[in-house]
Amino acid sequence: MDVQRLDDLMLSAPAGKRLAVLGDPIAHSLSPAMHNAALAEMARKAPELAGWAYAAIHVPPERLKEALGLLHTEGVAGINLTIPHKVQARDLVETLDAEAQAMGAVNTLVRTAGGYRGTNTDGYGIRRAVEEAFGMDLGGSDIWLFGAGGAARGIVVSCLQAGCKRVTVINRTPSRLRELEDQVHSSGVADRDRVRFRLLSEAPVDSGAGSLLINATSLGLVESDPSPIGDDFLKEGTRVYDTTYGIRNQLARDCAERGIPYADGLSMLVWQGVRSLEIWTGEPVPADTMRRAAESCLRERKGHG
């Protein structure tokens, strides 16, 4: 995949038809393959979408503000944000919608006359992904969320808004955990009895049958990474959703050994992408086309590995 850089930006689509994902790193992203495949199919039914194109742009965190100004000038109509930009972008956009405000993180930007409006499709992505993988609704569920970064912010708020029975957030770093706790309580989406925040070293292990464990850490992006979820949590009757994807990591192997249902994060990536593209174009988006493009891209990478 060709990765664009701010200092030699060459976007192929006309102004107003440009879409992009920004991250650091970004070369691994499946988003361009997914979105461009969907746009090509959508253009056959909606000719006004002909010529739209989605690019990956490498943007280090210290240049995010500069990048958003440049891309606005260049007529980039929509932007996805991935690691490490989701939290920083809150303070750089012109406006935040209610979803992004509650989550304290932004992953989708929509161009306005004066800048970008920020929203978040991670919550939509996790809801659809869990339903697809396990046939379960987040409402009424006991959720265990490992991690407190940008993706975790969207997930915890989405679980609470969906009416989960309880969500327990577990993280290694105290400062990141406290920041997320403050964000969630200030958002007003849940009473304190329905959400717990615990350091990994002090985490309770009262998960049980029917609990959903979600890995929202970056552990698992490399096959040799240790599992972010300890053996004590992997009990009979639990299910595991891993937001990393494309790797047969330690968490996946542990679940297989114990017969615990496991799904990786490709479906979440697809569904949050579907929602972003719906927002930008106002048209129905072929989720299956996005999924096939993502799976094909992963197979190609493994074949060259």
Side-chain angles (χ1 to χ4, degrees), residues 183-245:
Q183 171 64 38
V184 169
H185 288 315
S186 66
S187 71
V189 296
D191 57 74
R192 293 179 181 269
D193 293 336
R194 281 207 301 134
V195 58
R196 304 184 295 182
F197 296 86
R198 298 288 187 272
L199 289 172
L200 182 61
S201 59
E202 305 169 353
V205 290
D206 53 344
S207 59
S211 294
L212 174 65
L213 317 181
I214 302 176
N215 172 35
T217 76
S218 59
L219 286 176
L221 287 171
V222 178
E223 191 171 348
S224 59
D225 281 346
S227 173
I229 301 179
D231 292 346
D232 289 344
F233 295 99
L234 299 177
K235 301 172 183 175
E236 184 177 354
T238 59
R239 301 173 178 87
V240 173
Y241 192 87
D242 188 352
T243 62
T244 69
Y245 56 83

Side-chain angles (χ1 to χ4, degrees), residues 121-130 241 267-269 271-272:
T121 66
D122 281 338
Y124 178 85
I126 191 66
R127 290 193 299 271
R128 293 298 304 267
V130 168
Y241 192 87
S267 54
M268 181 179 172
L269 177 71
W271 284 114
Q272 68 85 11

